mmCIF file of all heavy atoms in Angstrom:
data_model
loop_
_atom_site.group_PDB
_atom_site.id
_atom_site.type_symbol
_atom_site.label_atom_id
_atom_site.label_comp_id
_atom_site.label_asym_id
_atom_site.label_seq_id
_atom_site.Cartn_x
_atom_site.Cartn_y
_atom_site.Cartn_z
ATOM 1 N N ARG A 388 19.711 9.968 37.244
ATOM 2 C CA ARG A 388 18.775 10.863 36.485
ATOM 3 C C ARG A 388 19.565 11.868 35.680
ATOM 4 O O ARG A 388 19.319 12.158 34.536
ATOM 5 C CB ARG A 388 17.818 11.495 37.385
ATOM 6 C CG ARG A 388 16.816 10.571 38.080
ATOM 7 C CD ARG A 388 15.951 11.260 39.105
ATOM 8 N NE ARG A 388 15.161 10.288 39.880
ATOM 9 C CZ ARG A 388 14.506 10.604 40.997
ATOM 10 N NH1 ARG A 388 14.633 11.800 41.479
ATOM 11 N NH2 ARG A 388 13.824 9.644 41.623
ATOM 12 N N LEU A 389 20.576 12.456 36.370
ATOM 13 C CA LEU A 389 21.391 13.456 35.722
ATOM 14 C C LEU A 389 22.186 12.763 34.569
ATOM 15 O O LEU A 389 22.277 13.365 33.488
ATOM 16 C CB LEU A 389 22.342 14.093 36.704
ATOM 17 C CG LEU A 389 23.314 15.199 36.144
ATOM 18 C CD1 LEU A 389 22.416 16.357 35.588
ATOM 19 C CD2 LEU A 389 24.233 15.673 37.207
ATOM 20 N N ALA A 390 22.677 11.569 34.852
ATOM 21 C CA ALA A 390 23.502 10.891 33.779
ATOM 22 C C ALA A 390 22.628 10.539 32.581
ATOM 23 O O ALA A 390 23.053 10.745 31.426
ATOM 24 C CB ALA A 390 24.108 9.677 34.360
ATOM 25 N N ASN A 391 21.405 10.064 32.895
ATOM 26 C CA ASN A 391 20.512 9.723 31.796
ATOM 27 C C ASN A 391 20.125 10.948 31.013
ATOM 28 O O ASN A 391 20.087 10.927 29.771
ATOM 29 C CB ASN A 391 19.261 9.091 32.316
ATOM 30 C CG ASN A 391 19.490 7.658 32.898
ATOM 31 O OD1 ASN A 391 20.458 7.038 32.534
ATOM 32 N ND2 ASN A 391 18.653 7.197 33.765
ATOM 33 N N ALA A 392 19.881 12.047 31.738
ATOM 34 C CA ALA A 392 19.520 13.326 31.004
ATOM 35 C C ALA A 392 20.726 13.761 30.123
ATOM 36 O O ALA A 392 20.515 14.193 28.973
ATOM 37 C CB ALA A 392 19.180 14.417 31.985
ATOM 38 N N GLY A 393 21.919 13.677 30.664
ATOM 39 C CA GLY A 393 23.135 14.020 29.897
ATOM 40 C C GLY A 393 23.333 13.204 28.683
ATOM 41 O O GLY A 393 23.603 13.720 27.585
ATOM 42 N N VAL A 394 23.159 11.924 28.805
ATOM 43 C CA VAL A 394 23.316 11.020 27.677
ATOM 44 C C VAL A 394 22.230 11.295 26.677
ATOM 45 O O VAL A 394 22.523 11.255 25.443
ATOM 46 C CB VAL A 394 23.268 9.556 28.202
ATOM 47 C CG1 VAL A 394 23.202 8.602 26.932
ATOM 48 C CG2 VAL A 394 24.432 9.196 28.999
ATOM 49 N N SER A 395 20.999 11.540 27.109
ATOM 50 C CA SER A 395 19.938 11.803 26.214
ATOM 51 C C SER A 395 20.189 13.102 25.408
ATOM 52 O O SER A 395 19.965 13.181 24.183
ATOM 53 C CB SER A 395 18.646 11.975 26.974
ATOM 54 O OG SER A 395 18.276 10.790 27.654
ATOM 55 N N VAL A 396 20.745 14.089 26.111
ATOM 56 C CA VAL A 396 21.096 15.326 25.416
ATOM 57 C C VAL A 396 22.204 15.145 24.418
ATOM 58 O O VAL A 396 22.140 15.629 23.238
ATOM 59 C CB VAL A 396 21.499 16.455 26.423
ATOM 60 C CG1 VAL A 396 22.102 17.704 25.754
ATOM 61 C CG2 VAL A 396 20.289 16.833 27.265
ATOM 62 N N VAL A 397 23.196 14.406 24.764
ATOM 63 C CA VAL A 397 24.297 14.083 23.868
ATOM 64 C C VAL A 397 23.857 13.285 22.624
ATOM 65 O O VAL A 397 24.191 13.654 21.566
ATOM 66 C CB VAL A 397 25.445 13.327 24.595
ATOM 67 C CG1 VAL A 397 26.516 12.855 23.575
ATOM 68 C CG2 VAL A 397 26.091 14.212 25.616
ATOM 69 N N LEU A 398 23.001 12.293 22.833
ATOM 70 C CA LEU A 398 22.500 11.511 21.719
ATOM 71 C C LEU A 398 21.615 12.423 20.790
ATOM 72 O O LEU A 398 21.668 12.283 19.588
ATOM 73 C CB LEU A 398 21.679 10.340 22.215
ATOM 74 C CG LEU A 398 22.454 9.230 22.952
ATOM 75 C CD1 LEU A 398 21.508 8.132 23.474
ATOM 76 C CD2 LEU A 398 23.445 8.605 21.967
ATOM 77 N N ALA A 399 20.798 13.274 21.475
ATOM 78 C CA ALA A 399 19.949 14.168 20.636
ATOM 79 C C ALA A 399 20.777 15.119 19.810
ATOM 80 O O ALA A 399 20.522 15.341 18.636
ATOM 81 C CB ALA A 399 18.954 14.932 21.530
#
Side-chain angles (χ1 to χ4, degrees):
R388 293 172 187 167
L389 181 61
N391 289 339
V394 171
S395 299
V396 170
V397 170
L398 290 176

